[in-house]
Amino acid sequence: MAAPVAAVQRLFEACREVFNDAGQGAVPPPAGIERVKAVLDSITAADVGLTPNMSYFRRVDPHGTPKITYLHLYKCEAFSIGIFCLPSRGVIPLHNHPGMTVFSKLLFGTMHVKSYDWAAAQQDIPDVQLQGPRLAKVKSDGILTAPRETSVLYPEDGGNMHCFTAQNACAVLDVLGPPYDDGSGRHCQYYNVSSSAISVGGSMLLPGGDRYEWLEESETPQDFYLVGSTYMGPRILDQ
């Protein structure tokens, strides 16, 4: 009897078919999105060899922000797979995913997530700017706790810009399609909530209850420490 296929191998094979079929940089069709999401929904921390008591989740600095560890599983031109390991109080600052479809599966832990999409240029949204601070719609702002369904964000929707703050040890399995690539215009840009947009007080509610805030580009935060480490779980076989 053949050995069961590892969960990460099933994920790799689903991503390879879905993103390659979609074409370079294209958003996969709904059926492809659901296929990758279903595989991610079935994956547990045990499938990737992680537990909350591992050293990745104890990188705590009493005088600053804890270091975040990234475990690389796979990367090609079409997609990448990796895991972010956040100790308690670990923060991944507000950043974007230009032209990318991103799947995020919280394997364990509780984290605060705030996400945004750029405001559309509509008559009921005043002063949408293309230079300086830009108006963004708050997509989500709340606490997420594992186990939960995989979240999906898109180039123009779903919370393309987001930030994570770990309430305790958290592990997030990410699939990015396509991955960041400065040469292809997919640069990871960081943002701050602007305090200079005095005309709207920095935040406002519009009819329908939607909340908007002004965001401005920033350099990589000086207190953000992302370190790479070797992934020790089941291997992906690229055949």
Side-chain angles (χ1 to χ4, degrees):
M1 181 180 295
V5 177
V8 292
Q9 185 68 28
R10 289 189 286 107
L11 176 61
F12 162 74
E13 292 172 359
C15 290
R16 180 176 58 186
E17 293 184 19
V18 167
F19 284 107
N20 287 343
D21 287 349
Q24 182 62 36
V27 176
I33 295 290
E34 287 304 314
R35 180 181 175 190
V36 174
K37 183 175 178 293
V39 177
L40 279 164
D41 283 342
S42 71
I43 293 179
T44 67
D47 290 325
V48 292
L50 289 180
T51 62
N53 62 359
M54 299 176 80
S55 61
Y56 311 130
F57 307 102
R58 298 200 301 268
R59 298 179 185 268
V60 178
D61 181 353
H63 305 293
T65 304
K67 293 180 180 178
I68 311 300
T69 302
Y70 180 74
L71 306 178
H72 167 77
L73 276 70
Y74 182 82
K75 183 177 181 180
C76 64
E77 290 186 358
F79 64 93
S80 65
I81 303 173
I83 303 171
F84 289 92
C85 302
L86 292 79
S88 179
R89 299 188 301 107
V91 176
I92 297 180
L94 182 62
H95 63 285
N96 70 347
H97 306 83
M100 300 156 68
T101 303
V102 180
F103 300 78
S104 296
K105 170 65 183 293
L106 183 61
L107 296 171
F108 56 73
T110 297
M111 62 168 47
H112 178 266
V113 177
K114 190 171 186 180
S115 66
Y116 302 82
D117 290 310
W118 292 122
Q122 299 174 356
Q123 292 183 352
D124 60 345
I125 302 177
D127 303 324
V128 174
Q129 295 175 242
L130 297 180
Q131 294 183 345
R134 287 184 61 186
L135 192 63
K137 179 180 178 178
V138 178
K139 184 70 174 181
S140 65
D141 186 6
I143 299 294
L144 304 182
T145 299
R148 59 174 292 108
E149 288 188 359
T150 300
S151 62
V152 186
L153 63 84
Y154 302 90
E156 306 294 338
D157 189 27
N160 184 274
M161 298 164 286
H162 63 200
C163 56
F164 297 158
T165 303
Q167 309 296 297
N168 49 28
C170 294
V172 183
L173 174 58
D174 263 6
V175 172
L176 280 62
Y180 289 110
D181 179 15
D182 289 351
S184 300
R186 295 189 299 276
H187 167 70
C188 183
Q189 177 64 57
Y190 294 91
Y191 297 92
N192 290 323
V193 177
S194 175
S195 59
S196 61
I198 303 300
S199 62
V200 295
S203 179
M204 60 182 175
L205 290 173
L206 292 181
D210 291 333
R211 182 169 144 219
Y212 292 82
E213 295 179 350
W214 294 91
L215 304 182
E216 55 187 354
E217 294 184 359
S218 69
E219 298 297 325
T220 305
Q222 293 184 350
D223 59 351
F224 176 47
Y225 301 103
L226 181 63
V227 297
S229 190
T230 302
Y231 168 67
M232 302 300 290
R235 294 293 185 228
I236 289 173
L237 302 178
D238 186 1
Q239 298 176 340

